[in-house]
Amino acid sequence: MEQISKVVLFTSSCLSIPTIDMLIQRQLLVAVVLVPTQTNNMQSEIGQLQAHCTSQNIQFSVWNNDDTLLAQLDDWQVSMALSCFNAGTQSQTIIDFFHGNAYGIYPAKLSDYQGTDPLYWQIREHQDNLLLTVYRLSCEHPLQFSLQQSIAIHPFDTYQSLAIRVASAIPQVLSIFFEQFDNLHWQSDTDIEQIKVATALNYDNLTLSFEQYSAVDLAAAARAGNPLYGGFILSGKFGDFNVLQASFVDQASFTEPAGTVLSIDKSQGLVVQTKQGSVALDIVSCQFGCISGYRFASLANITAGMQL
């Protein structure tokens, strides 16, 4: 167990705090290295993580360049690297420092959703469970993985609710990892030829339309983007506005064109025809504030029969 006696954790998010606390409780954690991203709340993440580590007498550093970090790793005399909620690019130079003793925890099958934000895409694409996977860090394929634990994705899960449950599950998976470390069976990812790359999120792929997406798709996209990406964006005659919650409406089929407002009332709210099925825009964020679809329709003078 000598090789796991001094651990450094690489992360880009405060969602790793439950993992930090578990490693501290086991007296394994020496340092936390924050891997910067381009997100708007990066300074907030740095501040919160640094404050948490300082309060626990844990070393904290921001990864700016390999040479500086290599010197710090040598000074800390760490023997194992763990990575979770890490949105940054891996460096083979840093991985090689640990001589094969660097591991990541990935919230999907290794061949699925490689790239940007696998949690978002798994909700948006209607997945009903995800696999927390422990694997060896490497910049080369095929990757090797060991433990996997399934986590159900609830039909009401938002990005935030799922991320919190994943954050709570990672310490449990790592506890099993440590206990079984000497007897773990490592497998190569055999699906390398079928790697599914997750598209980077931007204005274009967060902007959806009633003509191109079904009611079920739009409801899932709202959950996937809530709250981190503002749900999804609708753009039209009323300008851009965000839909943070949407619901499939189970009712008789309509023949109106996609984008037609079918009904507006207090119980179902603002109901619109889509490519397939109708959807209620439950909560929107717009120039009037964050309000219900019913109130948005009232304030924007939207009436049944109009095109959004």
Side-chain angles (χ1 to χ4, degrees), residues 210 215 218-219 222 232 243 245-250 263 267-274 277-284 293:
F210 299 111
L218 294 177
F232 68 87
V243 179
Q245 181 177 304
S247 303
F248 172 75
V249 178
D250 187 11
S263 64
S267 60
Q268 287 194 323
L270 173 58
V271 180
V272 185
Q273 181 66 28
T274 73
S278 51
V279 65
L281 307 184
D282 299 321
I283 301 174
V284 303

Side-chain angles (χ1 to χ4, degrees), residues 9 11-21 32 49 84-85 167:
L9 179 70
T11 187
S12 301
S13 171
C14 289
L15 288 165
S16 62
I17 285 178
T19 300
I20 291 172
D21 290 342
V32 172
L49 279 170
C84 71
F85 292 107

Side-chain angles (χ1 to χ4, degrees), residues 185-204:
H185 174 62
W186 294 92
Q187 308 172 60
S188 292
D189 181 21
T190 56
D191 294 330
I192 185 173
E193 301 298 330
Q194 302 175 4
I195 289 178
K196 186 174 186 178
V197 178
T199 307
L201 290 164
N202 53 40
Y203 176 84
D204 289 338

